[in-house]
Amino acid sequence: MAVLGQNAYHTETVKIAVKRRPHVNYFLTEEQTMIRDLAAQIAREKIAPRAAELDESGEFPWDVVETMGKSDLYRVFIPSEYEGLGGGCFEMCLAVEELSKACGGIALCYAASALGTIPIILFGSDEQKRKYLPRLASAEIIAAFGLTEPNAGSDAAGIKTTARADGDYYVINGTKQWITNGGEASIYTVIALTDPTRGVRGSSAILVEKGTPGFEFGKKENKMGIRASATRELIFQDCRVPKSNLLGKEGMGFLVAMRTLDQSRPGVAAQAVGIAQGALDKAIEYSRERQQFGKTISSFQGVQFLLADMATQVEAARALTYAAARAIDGGEKDVSRMSAMAKVFASDTAMKVTTDAVQVFGGYGYMKEYPVEKMMRDAKITQIYEGTNQIQREVIALNLIKESVRGAARAASGGNGSATAKK
Ligand SMILES: Cc1cc2nc3c(=O)[nH]c(=O)nc-3n(C[C@H](O)[C@H](O)[C@H](O)COP(=O)(O)OP(=O)(O)OC[C@H]3O[C@@H](n4cnc5c(N)ncnc54)[C@H](O)[C@@H]3O)c2cc1C
């Protein structure tokens, strides 16, 4: 992996700026340590001071995106031949985790661009990559990913948006709902039916640029949490897009979506770990200051045990998230299960730990003057988007059963694994 470029935000000071390290050694390379520390510094200096204000206003944090862009943070998961730093899912997770400690919403502006960029990295032609990746790497533009529709959430196969072929163009009609970075992003991967008669097998992934006639945005959603991120409808009415914008081949839309989500879910897990760690840090700090019965509340065993459980859960979530990201970057074939496990465990942890953080703060934790109620609101979405945790548990179970069936077939065939082929 290449090193962070000349533009890196305060590159000189980054190496020494962050004293706090996780207690567990995750064997980060020097470059990975720099990425983590750089993201931590941006989180501390640029995000934390604005988190509460942007949570209230819901304004999109373009100034922070610009800082992250100038600091090369958007390059970390983009291949070096397209002006990235050549890292992968793991480097993206390190950045998302640190940003999320300060604000899950602002971190999502970064993570959702990664979600929109992954299909181009995985399925784009060299021409498509040359056209978009360098600009995404510098954050001159950001990306988004549009799969969900009003009547197709968990049941993504139920999408109705169509992309009818017309000469050298597709004509797109339909509505995508709750698209993160919607309206702010310049490039969208849209999953649409190029052959509605074939259902999900007739779906395709098509790149659509903002500003294309017939492509409009709905109102910005007013959300419970992650309020600094933008969530909007994508509305297509006879939107003509050149066929050269197709990612992969026609009929591969669902595959593009599922492979993309497999690779991006550790990013949601990292967001959850970051939010949970941020809440834990605040809870520890507060417990050392707040006095009741003439003592700091950190001296009470009831509070100590709460903090101990919170810290243990966060570390376990981090370990699983890093393992999933490393499995993806290591080129493991079947990553759906690991990716889903990381997302489920980390997001459930974030919900629990942020709720417990509010408990440690007592009544003050329930007030907007203190940061933990926002963290609890921000954590909730990680159990819902990129596939709800119910659906992720289904993915995990189906993979377990499939692996068990394969194992049984291998055993029956004397261990050479070719039982099906023999039949
Ligand atoms: C803030 C936000 C940002 C988002 N960003 C994006 C984005 O950028 N791009 C994008 O494409 N989508 C995005 N989404 C959509 C998100 O991925 C969906 O909301 C999610 O997949 C769930 O779909 P749904 O909300 O329609 O819930 P539903 O599918 O209606 O589910 C409702 C409930 O039923 C449960 N359920 C459904 N089916 C089953 C089943 N078979 N077994 C057990 N339980 C089941 C669910 O787990 C859930 O609890 C976003 C959503 C939100 C809220």
Side-chain angles (χ1 to χ4, degrees):
M1 193 179 159
V3 289
L4 285 166
Q6 297 296 317
N7 293 331
Y9 175 67
H10 297 177
T11 311
E12 288 307 306
T13 55
V14 160
K15 289 180 200 164
I16 51 160
V18 180
K19 297 273 187 283
R20 189 169 49 76
R21 297 271 189 274
H23 299 295
V24 180
N25 181 357
Y26 288 103
F27 303 102
L28 302 193
T29 62
E30 197 180 328
E31 179 72 6
Q32 288 164 346
T33 306
M34 280 187 74
I35 289 168
R36 185 192 63 191
D37 293 354
L38 170 66
Q41 189 181 5
I42 293 174
R44 210 174 41 249
E45 294 178 1
K46 299 283 177 187
I47 298 181
R50 303 202 50 213
E53 167 209 332
L54 294 178
D55 175 53
E56 197 66 37
S57 70
E59 185 196 328
F60 191 83
W62 273 114
D63 57 330
V64 183
V65 170
E66 201 178 308
T67 300
M68 291 192 284
K70 283 192 180 143
S71 313
D72 292 340
L73 215 56
Y74 281 84
R75 295 187 196 279
V76 305
F77 53 85
I78 291 181
S80 41
E81 54 273 45
Y82 302 101
E83 299 181 24
L85 289 169
C89 183
F90 186 63
E91 284 75 12
M92 184 264 286
C93 286
L94 289 174
V96 171
E97 179 186 341
E98 292 303 326
L99 301 173
S100 301
K101 284 179 189 172
C103 178
I106 297 178
L108 180 61
C109 306
Y110 174 83
S113 192
L115 169 67
T117 305
I118 291 169
I120 306 176
I121 296 174
L122 292 181
F123 295 95
S125 63
D126 183 50
E127 199 184 334
Q128 288 165 335
K129 287 178 182 172
R130 271 191 284 114
K131 186 168 178 190
Y132 296 112
L133 293 184
R135 288 198 288 152
L136 288 162
S138 66
E140 178 195 329
I141 58 170
I142 60 170
F145 177 77
L147 171 64
T148 305
E149 296 184 4
N151 293 313
S154 302
D155 182 12
I159 60 166
K160 294 277 182 278
T161 297
T162 54
R164 179 174 51 82
D166 182 18
D168 290 338
Y169 289 82
Y170 290 114
V171 183
I172 307 180
N173 279 288
T175 301
K176 294 290 172 183
Q177 180 171 266
W178 299 332
I179 306 308
T180 305
N181 283 349
E184 313 294 337
S186 298
I187 186 71
Y188 298 76
T189 298
V190 175
I191 310 296
L193 300 173
T194 39
D195 183 355
T197 61
R198 298 188 67 218
V200 82
R201 287 202 172 81
S203 69
S204 301
I206 299 168
L207 292 169
V208 187
E209 292 184 11
K210 180 178 174 176
T212 309
F215 177 23
E216 304 288 340
F217 302 100
K219 69 169 172 46
K220 192 169 174 176
E221 300 293 346
N222 187 5
K223 304 188 294 287
M224 171 198 283
I226 52 158
R227 289 173 53 80
S229 77
T231 315
R232 287 192 177 90
E233 272 182 343
L234 315 182
I235 303 162
F236 300 98
Q237 282 179 317
D238 293 328
C239 173
R240 292 174 74 80
V241 176
K243 275 192 171 169
S244 56
N245 283 20
L246 178 71
L247 282 175
K249 295 192 174 124
E250 275 190 17
M252 279 174 58
F254 206 60
L255 177 82
V256 172
M258 293 307 118
R259 292 236 355 239
T260 296
L261 291 168
D262 277 348
Q263 298 227 356
S264 68
R265 279 185 189 124
V268 178
Q271 182 192 22
V273 171
I275 295 171
Q277 182 68 58
L280 172 62
D281 292 345
K282 295 287 177 202
I284 297 170
E285 218 176 277
Y286 183 81
S287 74
R288 290 174 45 240
E289 287 162 9
R290 175 71 172 167
Q291 299 232 349
Q292 288 294 284
F293 302 98
K295 293 175 178 176
T296 58
I297 60 167
S298 64
S299 64
F300 303 131
Q301 201 176 56
V303 173
Q304 288 174 358
F305 280 8
L306 205 54
L307 294 173
D309 284 348
M310 289 158 77
T312 306
Q313 288 152 7
V314 172
E315 207 59 69
R318 179 177 290 119
L320 190 52
T321 302
Y322 288 5
R326 282 176 159 151
I328 288 166
D329 292 341
E332 263 183 47
K333 255 167 102 187
D334 208 353
V335 290
S336 302
R337 179 165 64 109
M338 275 295 278
S339 183
M341 281 176 163
K343 198 258 183 197
V344 164
F345 190 79
S347 60
D348 285 353
T349 296
M351 201 61 242
K352 181 161 190 325
V353 167
T354 53
T355 308
D356 287 345
V358 171
Q359 195 67 21
V360 171
F361 274 72
Y364 291 104
Y366 205 70
M367 302 299 155
K368 283 196 183 283
E369 282 77 11
Y370 289 80
V372 284
E373 63 83 32
K374 171 187 180 298
M375 290 164 161
M376 185 174 152
R377 285 186 283 111
D378 286 351
K380 182 62 203 170
I381 192 62
T382 62
Q383 295 179 307
I384 297 172
Y385 59 18
E386 295 200 24
T388 66
N389 281 7
Q390 284 81 7
I391 297 298
Q392 299 315 297
R393 287 185 166 90
E394 243 183 46
V395 169
I396 296 163
L398 288 175
N399 272 277
L400 288 175
I401 294 161
K402 201 169 74 185
E403 284 161 25
S404 169
V405 169
R406 275 198 209 132
R410 261 198 306 275
S413 69
N416 67 7
S418 55
T420 322
K422 273 179 186 163
K423 281 179 193 164

mmCIF file of all heavy atoms in Angstrom, residues 108 112 115 145-150 152-155 177-181 223 226 231 381 384-391 394, ligand 1:
data_model
loop_
_atom_site.group_PDB
_atom_site.id
_atom_site.type_symbol
_atom_site.label_atom_id
_atom_site.label_comp_id
_atom_site.label_asym_id
_atom_site.label_seq_id
_atom_site.Cartn_x
_atom_site.Cartn_y
_atom_site.Cartn_z
ATOM 1 N N LEU A 108 -20.787 8.622 8.384
ATOM 2 C CA LEU A 108 -21.570 7.956 7.343
ATOM 3 C C LEU A 108 -21.419 8.648 5.990
ATOM 4 O O LEU A 108 -21.480 7.984 4.948
ATOM 5 C CB LEU A 108 -23.051 7.894 7.761
ATOM 6 C CG LEU A 108 -23.990 7.220 6.759
ATOM 7 C CD1 LEU A 108 -23.601 5.763 6.521
ATOM 8 C CD2 LEU A 108 -25.434 7.318 7.208
ATOM 9 N N ALA A 112 -20.696 5.967 3.277
ATOM 10 C CA ALA A 112 -21.655 5.746 2.194
ATOM 11 C C ALA A 112 -21.026 6.013 0.835
ATOM 12 O O ALA A 112 -21.442 5.438 -0.175
ATOM 13 C CB ALA A 112 -22.886 6.634 2.391
ATOM 14 N N LEU A 115 -19.487 2.860 0.065
ATOM 15 C CA LEU A 115 -20.531 1.924 -0.403
ATOM 16 C C LEU A 115 -20.835 2.157 -1.889
ATOM 17 O O LEU A 115 -20.994 1.207 -2.656
ATOM 18 C CB LEU A 115 -21.796 2.109 0.450
ATOM 19 C CG LEU A 115 -23.080 1.429 -0.018
ATOM 20 C CD1 LEU A 115 -22.950 -0.095 0.061
ATOM 21 C CD2 LEU A 115 -24.288 1.877 0.833
ATOM 22 N N PHE A 145 -25.284 4.639 -3.269
ATOM 23 C CA PHE A 145 -25.704 3.316 -3.746
ATOM 24 C C PHE A 145 -27.213 3.199 -3.593
ATOM 25 O O PHE A 145 -27.747 3.347 -2.484
ATOM 26 C CB PHE A 145 -24.992 2.264 -2.892
ATOM 27 C CG PHE A 145 -25.374 0.844 -3.195
ATOM 28 C CD1 PHE A 145 -24.869 0.190 -4.307
ATOM 29 C CD2 PHE A 145 -26.231 0.149 -2.343
ATOM 30 C CE1 PHE A 145 -25.215 -1.125 -4.572
ATOM 31 C CE2 PHE A 145 -26.579 -1.164 -2.600
ATOM 32 C CZ PHE A 145 -26.071 -1.800 -3.720
ATOM 33 N N GLY A 146 -27.927 2.950 -4.684
ATOM 34 C CA GLY A 146 -29.389 2.936 -4.621
ATOM 35 C C GLY A 146 -30.000 1.586 -4.950
ATOM 36 O O GLY A 146 -30.084 1.185 -6.113
ATOM 37 N N LEU A 147 -30.418 0.889 -3.901
ATOM 38 C CA LEU A 147 -31.081 -0.409 -4.077
ATOM 39 C C LEU A 147 -32.521 -0.340 -3.546
ATOM 40 O O LEU A 147 -33.476 -0.691 -4.244
ATOM 41 C CB LEU A 147 -30.287 -1.503 -3.332
ATOM 42 C CG LEU A 147 -30.935 -2.887 -3.223
ATOM 43 C CD1 LEU A 147 -31.104 -3.520 -4.604
ATOM 44 C CD2 LEU A 147 -30.088 -3.817 -2.344
ATOM 45 N N THR A 148 -32.688 0.164 -2.314
ATOM 46 C CA THR A 148 -33.989 0.142 -1.619
ATOM 47 C C THR A 148 -35.059 0.961 -2.343
ATOM 48 O O THR A 148 -34.781 2.023 -2.894
ATOM 49 C CB THR A 148 -33.807 0.690 -0.193
ATOM 50 O OG1 THR A 148 -32.784 -0.067 0.449
ATOM 51 C CG2 THR A 148 -35.089 0.594 0.623
ATOM 52 N N GLU A 149 -36.285 0.436 -2.289
ATOM 53 C CA GLU A 149 -37.444 1.148 -2.845
ATOM 54 C C GLU A 149 -38.557 1.147 -1.794
ATOM 55 O O GLU A 149 -38.504 0.370 -0.830
ATOM 56 C CB GLU A 149 -37.915 0.451 -4.128
ATOM 57 C CG GLU A 149 -36.858 0.504 -5.218
ATOM 58 C CD GLU A 149 -37.324 -0.100 -6.537
ATOM 59 O OE1 GLU A 149 -38.499 -0.498 -6.652
ATOM 60 O OE2 GLU A 149 -36.484 -0.174 -7.449
ATOM 61 N N PRO A 150 -39.588 1.975 -2.018
ATOM 62 C CA PRO A 150 -40.655 2.039 -0.995
ATOM 63 C C PRO A 150 -41.209 0.657 -0.627
ATOM 64 O O PRO A 150 -41.511 0.401 0.538
ATOM 65 C CB PRO A 150 -41.717 2.910 -1.662
ATOM 66 C CG PRO A 150 -40.947 3.787 -2.598
ATOM 67 C CD PRO A 150 -39.802 2.958 -3.092
ATOM 68 N N ALA A 152 -39.606 -2.342 -1.433
ATOM 69 C CA ALA A 152 -38.554 -3.369 -1.505
ATOM 70 C C ALA A 152 -37.412 -2.967 -0.581
ATOM 71 O O ALA A 152 -36.519 -2.211 -0.966
ATOM 72 C CB ALA A 152 -38.065 -3.530 -2.938
ATOM 73 N N GLY A 153 -37.499 -3.449 0.682
ATOM 74 C CA GLY A 153 -36.446 -3.181 1.661
ATOM 75 C C GLY A 153 -35.656 -4.461 1.866
ATOM 76 O O GLY A 153 -34.760 -4.794 1.083
ATOM 77 N N SER A 154 -36.037 -5.238 2.905
ATOM 78 C CA SER A 154 -35.372 -6.534 3.123
ATOM 79 C C SER A 154 -35.530 -7.419 1.895
ATOM 80 O O SER A 154 -34.615 -8.142 1.507
ATOM 81 C CB SER A 154 -35.997 -7.241 4.327
ATOM 82 O OG SER A 154 -35.882 -6.435 5.476
ATOM 83 N N ASP A 155 -36.706 -7.344 1.290
ATOM 84 C CA ASP A 155 -36.972 -8.143 0.089
ATOM 85 C C ASP A 155 -36.491 -7.363 -1.135
ATOM 86 O O ASP A 155 -37.280 -6.879 -1.952
ATOM 87 C CB ASP A 155 -38.483 -8.412 0.001
ATOM 88 C CG ASP A 155 -38.845 -9.279 -1.194
ATOM 89 O OD1 ASP A 155 -37.920 -9.855 -1.813
ATOM 90 O OD2 ASP A 155 -40.051 -9.363 -1.513
ATOM 91 N N GLN A 177 -35.577 4.687 -2.436
ATOM 92 C CA GLN A 177 -35.917 5.345 -1.167
ATOM 93 C C GLN A 177 -34.767 5.286 -0.156
ATOM 94 O O GLN A 177 -34.063 4.269 -0.094
ATOM 95 C CB GLN A 177 -37.138 4.634 -0.577
ATOM 96 C CG GLN A 177 -37.617 5.205 0.729
ATOM 97 C CD GLN A 177 -38.942 4.611 1.148
ATOM 98 O OE1 GLN A 177 -39.992 5.157 0.880
ATOM 99 N NE2 GLN A 177 -38.891 3.451 1.799
ATOM 100 N N TRP A 178 -34.639 6.353 0.634
ATOM 101 C CA TRP A 178 -33.688 6.417 1.751
ATOM 102 C C TRP A 178 -32.249 6.189 1.297
ATOM 103 O O TRP A 178 -31.536 5.347 1.866
ATOM 104 C CB TRP A 178 -34.040 5.381 2.828
ATOM 105 C CG TRP A 178 -35.387 5.571 3.429
ATOM 106 C CD1 TRP A 178 -36.076 6.743 3.552
ATOM 107 C CD2 TRP A 178 -36.221 4.558 4.002
ATOM 108 N NE1 TRP A 178 -37.286 6.522 4.161
ATOM 109 C CE2 TRP A 178 -37.403 5.191 4.450
ATOM 110 C CE3 TRP A 178 -36.082 3.188 4.186
ATOM 111 C CZ2 TRP A 178 -38.436 4.501 5.067
ATOM 112 C CZ3 TRP A 178 -37.106 2.496 4.795
ATOM 113 C CH2 TRP A 178 -38.265 3.143 5.226
ATOM 114 N N ILE A 179 -31.851 6.906 0.281
ATOM 115 C CA ILE A 179 -30.490 6.708 -0.228
ATOM 116 C C ILE A 179 -29.531 7.694 0.450
ATOM 117 O O ILE A 179 -29.684 8.907 0.352
ATOM 118 C CB ILE A 179 -30.447 6.837 -1.770
ATOM 119 C CG1 ILE A 179 -31.470 5.879 -2.398
ATOM 120 C CG2 ILE A 179 -29.033 6.594 -2.287
ATOM 121 C CD1 ILE A 179 -31.385 4.412 -1.931
ATOM 122 N N THR A 180 -28.559 7.099 1.158
ATOM 123 C CA THR A 180 -27.581 7.913 1.884
ATOM 124 C C THR A 180 -26.682 8.641 0.891
ATOM 125 O O THR A 180 -26.257 8.052 -0.109
ATOM 126 C CB THR A 180 -26.737 7.023 2.819
ATOM 127 O OG1 THR A 180 -27.622 6.291 3.668
ATOM 128 C CG2 THR A 180 -25.797 7.845 3.671
ATOM 129 N N ASN A 181 -26.373 9.895 1.196
ATOM 130 C CA ASN A 181 -25.639 10.816 0.311
ATOM 131 C C ASN A 181 -26.507 11.245 -0.875
ATOM 132 O O ASN A 181 -26.022 11.927 -1.786
ATOM 133 C CB ASN A 181 -24.312 10.237 -0.214
ATOM 134 C CG ASN A 181 -23.206 10.270 0.826
ATOM 135 O OD1 ASN A 181 -23.360 10.898 1.863
ATOM 136 N ND2 ASN A 181 -22.102 9.597 0.551
ATOM 137 N N LYS A 223 -34.518 12.537 10.320
ATOM 138 C CA LYS A 223 -34.247 11.245 10.955
ATOM 139 C C LYS A 223 -34.039 11.326 12.474
ATOM 140 O O LYS A 223 -33.727 12.375 13.013
ATOM 141 C CB LYS A 223 -32.978 10.638 10.333
ATOM 142 C CG LYS A 223 -33.051 10.485 8.817
ATOM 143 C CD LYS A 223 -31.859 9.718 8.285
ATOM 144 C CE LYS A 223 -30.537 10.413 8.448
ATOM 145 N NZ LYS A 223 -30.347 11.553 7.530
ATOM 146 N N ILE A 226 -28.035 9.939 13.137
ATOM 147 C CA ILE A 226 -27.130 10.191 11.990
ATOM 148 C C ILE A 226 -27.653 11.357 11.144
ATOM 149 O O ILE A 226 -27.702 11.291 9.921
ATOM 150 C CB ILE A 226 -26.898 8.915 11.128
ATOM 151 C CG1 ILE A 226 -28.220 8.264 10.705
ATOM 152 C CG2 ILE A 226 -25.981 7.931 11.821
ATOM 153 C CD1 ILE A 226 -28.106 7.383 9.468
ATOM 154 N N THR A 231 -30.258 11.775 3.575
ATOM 155 C CA THR A 231 -31.018 10.608 3.126
ATOM 156 C C THR A 231 -32.150 11.126 2.246
ATOM 157 O O THR A 231 -32.992 11.891 2.727
ATOM 158 C CB THR A 231 -31.612 9.842 4.331
ATOM 159 O OG1 THR A 231 -30.612 9.715 5.341
ATOM 160 C CG2 THR A 231 -32.110 8.464 3.939
ATOM 161 N N ILE A 381 -29.474 2.988 13.915
ATOM 162 C CA ILE A 381 -29.543 2.717 12.471
ATOM 163 C C ILE A 381 -28.628 1.554 12.057
ATOM 164 O O ILE A 381 -28.899 0.851 11.084
ATOM 165 C CB ILE A 381 -29.216 3.982 11.637
ATOM 166 C CG1 ILE A 381 -29.567 3.782 10.150
ATOM 167 C CG2 ILE A 381 -27.757 4.381 11.762
ATOM 168 C CD1 ILE A 381 -31.009 3.539 9.865
ATOM 169 N N ILE A 384 -30.244 -1.538 11.410
ATOM 170 C CA ILE A 384 -31.272 -1.538 10.365
ATOM 171 C C ILE A 384 -30.710 -1.536 8.945
ATOM 172 O O ILE A 384 -31.064 -2.383 8.126
ATOM 173 C CB ILE A 384 -32.226 -0.323 10.562
ATOM 174 C CG1 ILE A 384 -32.978 -0.436 11.893
ATOM 175 C CG2 ILE A 384 -33.220 -0.224 9.400
ATOM 176 C CD1 ILE A 384 -33.793 0.802 12.278
ATOM 177 N N TYR A 385 -29.808 -0.546 8.660
ATOM 178 C CA TYR A 385 -29.456 -0.431 7.225
ATOM 179 C C TYR A 385 -28.390 -1.432 6.775
ATOM 180 O O TYR A 385 -27.782 -2.104 7.573
ATOM 181 C CB TYR A 385 -29.162 0.998 6.795
ATOM 182 C CG TYR A 385 -28.059 1.780 7.446
ATOM 183 C CD1 TYR A 385 -27.032 1.209 8.165
ATOM 184 C CD2 TYR A 385 -28.051 3.173 7.295
ATOM 185 C CE1 TYR A 385 -26.031 1.986 8.706
ATOM 186 C CE2 TYR A 385 -27.056 3.957 7.837
ATOM 187 C CZ TYR A 385 -26.052 3.343 8.546
ATOM 188 O OH TYR A 385 -25.076 4.111 9.096
ATOM 189 N N GLU A 386 -28.241 -1.482 5.454
ATOM 190 C CA GLU A 386 -27.416 -2.505 4.775
ATOM 191 C C GLU A 386 -27.856 -3.914 5.177
ATOM 192 O O GLU A 386 -27.044 -4.819 5.320
ATOM 193 C CB GLU A 386 -25.929 -2.254 5.014
ATOM 194 C CG GLU A 386 -25.510 -0.941 4.369
ATOM 195 C CD GLU A 386 -24.039 -0.790 4.110
ATOM 196 O OE1 GLU A 386 -23.354 -1.811 3.998
ATOM 197 O OE2 GLU A 386 -23.595 0.357 4.009
ATOM 198 N N GLY A 387 -29.152 -4.077 5.341
ATOM 199 C CA GLY A 387 -29.723 -5.365 5.732
ATOM 200 C C GLY A 387 -29.960 -5.394 7.220
ATOM 201 O O GLY A 387 -29.010 -5.254 7.999
ATOM 202 N N THR A 388 -31.234 -5.545 7.655
ATOM 203 C CA THR A 388 -31.524 -5.535 9.098
ATOM 204 C C THR A 388 -30.823 -6.722 9.777
ATOM 205 O O THR A 388 -30.424 -7.691 9.122
ATOM 206 C CB THR A 388 -33.040 -5.662 9.370
ATOM 207 O OG1 THR A 388 -33.469 -6.967 8.933
ATOM 208 C CG2 THR A 388 -33.843 -4.595 8.652
ATOM 209 N N ASN A 389 -30.734 -6.635 11.109
ATOM 210 C CA ASN A 389 -30.057 -7.715 11.820
ATOM 211 C C ASN A 389 -30.829 -9.032 11.763
ATOM 212 O O ASN A 389 -30.232 -10.110 11.859
ATOM 213 C CB ASN A 389 -29.768 -7.283 13.261
ATOM 214 C CG ASN A 389 -28.545 -6.381 13.318
ATOM 215 O OD1 ASN A 389 -28.014 -5.990 12.276
ATOM 216 N ND2 ASN A 389 -28.086 -6.059 14.508
ATOM 217 N N GLN A 390 -32.158 -8.945 11.570
ATOM 218 C CA GLN A 390 -32.915 -10.189 11.373
ATOM 219 C C GLN A 390 -32.453 -10.866 10.070
ATOM 220 O O GLN A 390 -32.203 -12.068 10.035
ATOM 221 C CB GLN A 390 -34.422 -9.913 11.287
ATOM 222 C CG GLN A 390 -35.094 -9.622 12.612
ATOM 223 C CD GLN A 390 -34.903 -8.176 13.076
ATOM 224 O OE1 GLN A 390 -34.385 -7.339 12.364
ATOM 225 N NE2 GLN A 390 -35.321 -7.909 14.300
ATOM 226 N N ILE A 391 -32.335 -10.056 9.028
ATOM 227 C CA ILE A 391 -31.903 -10.613 7.735
ATOM 228 C C ILE A 391 -30.462 -11.115 7.821
ATOM 229 O O ILE A 391 -30.122 -12.165 7.262
ATOM 230 C CB ILE A 391 -32.069 -9.554 6.615
ATOM 231 C CG1 ILE A 391 -33.551 -9.171 6.447
ATOM 232 C CG2 ILE A 391 -31.478 -10.045 5.299
ATOM 233 C CD1 ILE A 391 -34.493 -10.289 6.039
ATOM 234 N N GLU A 394 -30.382 -14.427 9.278
ATOM 235 C CA GLU A 394 -30.800 -15.411 8.267
ATOM 236 C C GLU A 394 -29.623 -15.777 7.354
ATOM 237 O O GLU A 394 -29.402 -16.940 7.050
ATOM 238 C CB GLU A 394 -31.917 -14.813 7.404
ATOM 239 C CG GLU A 394 -33.217 -15.563 7.522
ATOM 240 C CD GLU A 394 -34.297 -15.003 6.611
ATOM 241 O OE1 GLU A 394 -34.023 -14.733 5.431
ATOM 242 O OE2 GLU A 394 -35.420 -14.842 7.101
HETATM 243 C C1 LIG B 1 -31.185 6.189 7.346
HETATM 244 C C2 LIG B 1 -31.236 5.129 6.293
HETATM 245 C C3 LIG B 1 -30.270 5.107 5.290
HETATM 246 C C4 LIG B 1 -30.338 4.143 4.281
HETATM 247 N N1 LIG B 1 -29.411 4.172 3.253
HETATM 248 C C5 LIG B 1 -29.590 3.356 2.183
HETATM 249 C C6 LIG B 1 -28.751 3.461 1.033
HETATM 250 O O1 LIG B 1 -27.828 4.262 0.977
HETATM 251 N N2 LIG B 1 -29.029 2.650 -0.029
HETATM 252 C C7 LIG B 1 -30.036 1.744 -0.026
HETATM 253 O O2 LIG B 1 -30.227 1.055 -1.033
HETATM 254 N N3 LIG B 1 -30.823 1.590 1.070
HETATM 255 C C8 LIG B 1 -30.625 2.378 2.166
HETATM 256 N N4 LIG B 1 -31.448 2.253 3.270
HETATM 257 C C9 LIG B 1 -32.479 1.222 3.294
HETATM 258 C C10 LIG B 1 -32.184 0.088 4.280
HETATM 259 O O3 LIG B 1 -31.173 -0.747 3.794
HETATM 260 C C11 LIG B 1 -33.512 -0.638 4.554
HETATM 261 O O4 LIG B 1 -34.251 0.230 5.395
HETATM 262 C C12 LIG B 1 -33.339 -1.983 5.213
HETATM 263 O O5 LIG B 1 -32.750 -2.888 4.328
HETATM 264 C C13 LIG B 1 -34.660 -2.575 5.720
HETATM 265 O O6 LIG B 1 -35.694 -2.446 4.820
HETATM 266 P P1 LIG B 1 -37.093 -1.802 5.300
HETATM 267 O O7 LIG B 1 -36.756 -0.565 6.019
HETATM 268 O O8 LIG B 1 -37.972 -1.696 4.122
HETATM 269 O O9 LIG B 1 -37.682 -2.811 6.346
HETATM 270 P P2 LIG B 1 -38.632 -4.093 6.044
HETATM 271 O O10 LIG B 1 -37.975 -4.952 5.025
HETATM 272 O O11 LIG B 1 -40.000 -3.619 5.776
HETATM 273 O O12 LIG B 1 -38.570 -4.831 7.447
HETATM 274 C C14 LIG B 1 -39.397 -4.463 8.551
HETATM 275 C C15 LIG B 1 -39.090 -5.421 9.682
HETATM 276 O O13 LIG B 1 -39.402 -6.761 9.287
HETATM 277 C C16 LIG B 1 -38.259 -7.576 9.444
HETATM 278 N N5 LIG B 1 -38.219 -8.578 8.387
HETATM 279 C C17 LIG B 1 -38.420 -8.396 7.061
HETATM 280 N N6 LIG B 1 -38.287 -9.551 6.389
HETATM 281 C C18 LIG B 1 -37.961 -10.490 7.309
HETATM 282 C C19 LIG B 1 -37.661 -11.890 7.251
HETATM 283 N N7 LIG B 1 -37.650 -12.560 6.109
HETATM 284 N N8 LIG B 1 -37.388 -12.542 8.410
HETATM 285 C C20 LIG B 1 -37.378 -11.862 9.602
HETATM 286 N N9 LIG B 1 -37.635 -10.543 9.710
HETATM 287 C C21 LIG B 1 -37.923 -9.874 8.581
HETATM 288 C C22 LIG B 1 -37.069 -6.631 9.365
HETATM 289 O O14 LIG B 1 -35.900 -7.175 9.971
HETATM 290 C C23 LIG B 1 -37.609 -5.411 10.084
HETATM 291 O O15 LIG B 1 -37.465 -5.590 11.451
HETATM 292 C C24 LIG B 1 -31.372 3.181 4.299
HETATM 293 C C25 LIG B 1 -32.318 3.190 5.337
HETATM 294 C C26 LIG B 1 -32.262 4.155 6.312
HETATM 295 C C27 LIG B 1 -33.325 4.156 7.387
#
